[in-house]
Amino acid sequence: MTTATRTARHPSTLATLWRSTVGKKAVMAVSGLVMLLYLVAHMLGNLKVFFGPDDINGYAAWLRTLGQPFLGHEWFLWIARAGLLAAVVLHGVAAYQLSRRDLAARPSKYAHQRRRASYATRTMRWGGVILALFIVWHILDLTTLTVNPNAEHGRVYQNIVASFGNWYSCVIYIVAMLAVGLHIRHGFWSAAQTLGANNARRDRALKLTANGLALLLTAGFLSVPVAVMTGVVS
């Protein structure tokens, strides 16, 4: 028997895990936690806008040199972006495939019995779509500066003020951050269940943590456009 034949008959452990529902849920949980850690770091970085242009612009410049001289200029940023992109893609693909399996396996006559579960599912599904569209907009707005006509490379503070000086940018950002909060609230609890972190004694603490994280991150992210709109940051 050739190696190719053995491989065809015996898929790898990773392939078997990915094809299973449990495996897809595990991928969603781990990739979700990776994105959550990124959101916490990103929010803390955003809050530097309240300390003035020098602080947040200096922070952005430091990120471009992080890891030098071992890493080249902006290598750390590109490595982080690649890892985050992989997490987003894996999370989205696993979510889509699990959703398709759930729809295929759900008897229509029991639909009225699953209203509560369906609410959480719909929230996660539409929240994910909103966030995917927002990521594209956010990159064009504050990374490539394509849709921000008053932006200048390397001037993060000024670019934030220019972006949130437009009402539509604020609306897009606020809607997306509310979706982030709901996504974290449901996603954190779901990830805890998938990874086996929940039990009767921990359930209350995990729910409080999920609610607290969702509230903290939503408030932190929304504070920036609100500060620009009200003139606190200008």
Side-chain angles (χ1 to χ4, degrees), residues 6 79 112 159 180 191 207 233:
R6 287 196 300 270
I79 292 170
H112 66 284
N159 295 345
V180 164
K207 288 179 180 178
V233 172

Side-chain angles (χ1 to χ4, degrees), residues 1-90:
M1 184 181 294
T2 64
T3 302
T5 302
R6 287 196 300 270
T7 303
R9 291 185 178 180
H10 302 287
S12 67
T13 302
L14 286 177
T16 302
L17 183 66
W18 172 252
R19 290 169 186 167
S20 69
T21 297
V22 172
K24 291 183 189 298
K25 287 183 176 180
V27 168
M28 279 197 70
V30 173
S31 59
L33 290 175
V34 169
M35 290 187 286
L36 177 61
L37 291 174
Y38 167 79
L39 285 173
V40 172
H42 191 42
M43 182 199 70
L44 293 174
N46 284 0
L47 293 179
K48 287 182 175 291
V49 75
F50 291 100
F51 297 96
D54 292 341
D55 203 298
I56 193 167
N57 290 346
Y59 169 70
W62 171 76
L63 285 177
R64 296 188 185 96
T65 62
L66 192 60
Q68 289 183 338
F70 180 73
L71 298 177
H73 186 68
E74 293 192 352
W75 280 22
F76 171 80
L77 280 177
W78 284 107
I79 292 170
R81 287 166 180 164
L84 184 62
L85 177 61
V88 169
V89 170
L90 287 170

Side-chain angles (χ1 to χ4, degrees), residues 126-208:
W126 286 108
V129 171
I130 290 170
L131 292 177
L133 294 174
F134 170 73
I135 289 171
V136 175
W137 166 266
H138 196 52
I139 291 172
L140 293 174
D141 185 29
L142 291 172
T143 302
T144 66
L145 311 180
T146 305
V147 297
N148 191 340
N150 298 317
E152 298 179 41
H153 184 71
R155 293 166 61 86
V156 177
Y157 183 94
Q158 292 79 1
N159 295 345
I160 289 173
V161 172
S163 176
F164 294 133
N166 298 316
W167 67 267
Y168 54 85
S169 291
C170 292
V171 171
I172 292 171
Y173 195 86
I174 289 170
V175 170
M177 292 307 103
L178 293 175
V180 164
L182 288 173
H183 210 77
I184 290 170
R185 183 173 178 270
H186 291 304
F188 184 88
W189 173 245
S190 179
Q193 288 180 306
T194 298
L195 298 176
N198 68 309
N199 57 38
R201 290 183 300 173
R202 296 197 196 111
D203 280 357
R204 180 177 173 80
L206 286 170
K207 288 179 180 178
L208 287 173

